[in-house]
């Protein structure tokens, strides 16, 4: 019996590892595809199709000088909340995981568009703005987004499996998902705090 239990546990652990690796791969792919799509959109499509991204940025940028640090941080956090909330809700659906991936793909297009535009329009000054102000927080956000996507994707797939088999333990999976969700949101929040810090340090050096 002990040998059988060990074999069963080994198979279960192996299956969980495969599932974890699969969800991690599927979490990274839409981000990379979004970045590539952003570069392609900027290169080949008309500016009118993506001009709105730049208009929002310029409006956001020009308002910095009139806002306190708390107001800037509030704006940064609020801009993240809609997709975090939508992903959280989708995680509790058996068919939510493809929509989670689609949402992250769409979200990942904007940064590349913005970075490409700043470099194309303002050359060295645009590149300096990206590296000094935008990129540090964006890199931290990226880890949070991947962790968040992986957690939502895996939990949605788990619910799908439970519904198919009409059995399964929810509590342990729920605890793991909520922990991963909380950590990823904390990472994204920290990324926004870093962006606030870089804005406070370097924003006065730039004008667009």
């Amino acid at each position: 019996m002990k040998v059988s239990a060990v074999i069963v546990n080994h198979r279960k652990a192996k299956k969980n590892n495969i599932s974890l690796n699969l969800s991690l791969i599927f979490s990274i792919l839409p981000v990379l595809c979004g970045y590539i799509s952003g570069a392609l959109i900027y290169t080949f499509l008309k500016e009118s199709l993506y001009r709105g991204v730049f208009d929002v940025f310029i409006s956001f940028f020009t308002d910095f000088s009139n806002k306190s640090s708390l107001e800037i941080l509030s704006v940064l956090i609020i801009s993240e909340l809609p997709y975090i909330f939508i992903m959280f809700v989708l995680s509790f659906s058996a068919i939510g995981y493809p929509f989670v991936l689609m949402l992250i793909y769409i979200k990942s297009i904007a940064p590349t568009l913005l970075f490409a535009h700043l470099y194309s329009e303002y050359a060295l000054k645009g590149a300096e703005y990206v590296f000094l102000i935008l990129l540090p927080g964006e890199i931290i956000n990226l880890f949070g987004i991947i962790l968040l996507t992986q957690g939502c994707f895996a939990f949605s797939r788990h619910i799908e499996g439970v519904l198919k088999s009409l059995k399964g333990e929810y509590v342990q999976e729920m605890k793991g998902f909520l922990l991963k969700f909380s950590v990823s949101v904390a990472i994204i929040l920290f990324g926004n705090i870093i962006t606030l810090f870089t804005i406070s340090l370097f924003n006065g050096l730039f004008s667009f």
Side-chain angles (χ1 to χ4, degrees):
M1 290 294 292
K2 290 184 178 180
V3 175
S4 300
V6 170
I7 293 174
V8 170
N9 289 334
H10 175 73
R11 288 177 178 175
K12 185 180 294 186
K14 185 176 180 180
K15 183 178 179 181
N16 289 337
N17 287 334
I18 293 174
S19 179
L20 180 63
N21 292 335
L22 182 64
S23 62
L24 185 59
I25 291 171
F26 274 99
S27 302
I28 295 173
L29 278 178
V31 175
L32 294 178
C33 291
Y35 288 162
I36 294 170
S37 297
L40 293 175
I41 289 171
Y42 187 83
T43 303
F44 296 109
L45 296 186
K46 293 181 179 179
E47 184 178 349
S48 58
L49 296 176
Y50 52 77
R51 185 69 205 181
V53 175
F54 309 135
D55 292 340
V56 170
F57 167 74
I58 294 300
S59 174
F60 190 55
F61 175 85
T62 53
D63 283 346
F64 282 159
S65 58
N66 303 319
K67 292 182 181 296
S68 67
S69 296
L70 183 60
E71 288 174 324
I72 295 173
L73 182 60
S74 298
V75 171
L76 291 171
I77 293 173
I78 289 172
S79 68
E80 305 283 2
L81 289 180
Y83 84 89
I84 291 176
F85 175 75
I86 293 172
M87 289 180 68
F88 183 79
V89 172
L90 288 173
S91 301
F92 290 88
S93 169
I95 59 171
Y97 58 90
F99 298 101
V100 167
L101 301 182
M102 180 65 69
L103 182 63
I104 289 302
Y105 166 74
I106 294 172
K107 185 184 185 302
S108 300
I109 292 174
T112 312
L113 275 176
L114 179 57
F115 294 173
H117 175 72
L118 288 172
Y119 179 74
S120 177
E121 292 292 319
Y122 304 104
L124 182 59
K125 184 171 73 170
E128 289 173 345
Y129 188 86
V130 168
F131 280 99
L132 289 176
I133 295 180
L134 299 179
L135 199 57
E138 184 65 26
I139 290 174
I140 295 173
N141 278 349
L142 177 62
F143 286 103
I145 288 169
I146 290 174
L147 183 63
L148 176 64
T149 306
Q150 191 271 335
C152 293
F153 178 86
F155 191 68
S156 179
R157 288 293 304 272
H158 171 73
I159 290 179
E160 180 190 37
V162 168
L163 291 179
K164 284 182 177 179
S165 62
L166 297 180
K167 63 181 180 179
E169 294 295 331
Y170 293 96
V171 176
Q172 196 64 29
E173 289 288 338
M174 176 71 76
K175 286 181 179 178
F177 166 67
L178 292 178
L179 176 62
K180 187 169 292 186
F181 185 87
S182 301
V183 171
S184 60
V185 170
I187 292 173
I188 293 170
L189 175 61
F190 181 65
N192 286 319
I193 292 173
I194 293 299
T195 300
L196 171 65
F197 180 70
T198 55
I199 287 171
S200 301
L201 282 179
F202 304 115
N203 196 55
L205 303 176
F206 298 90
S207 61
F208 295 111

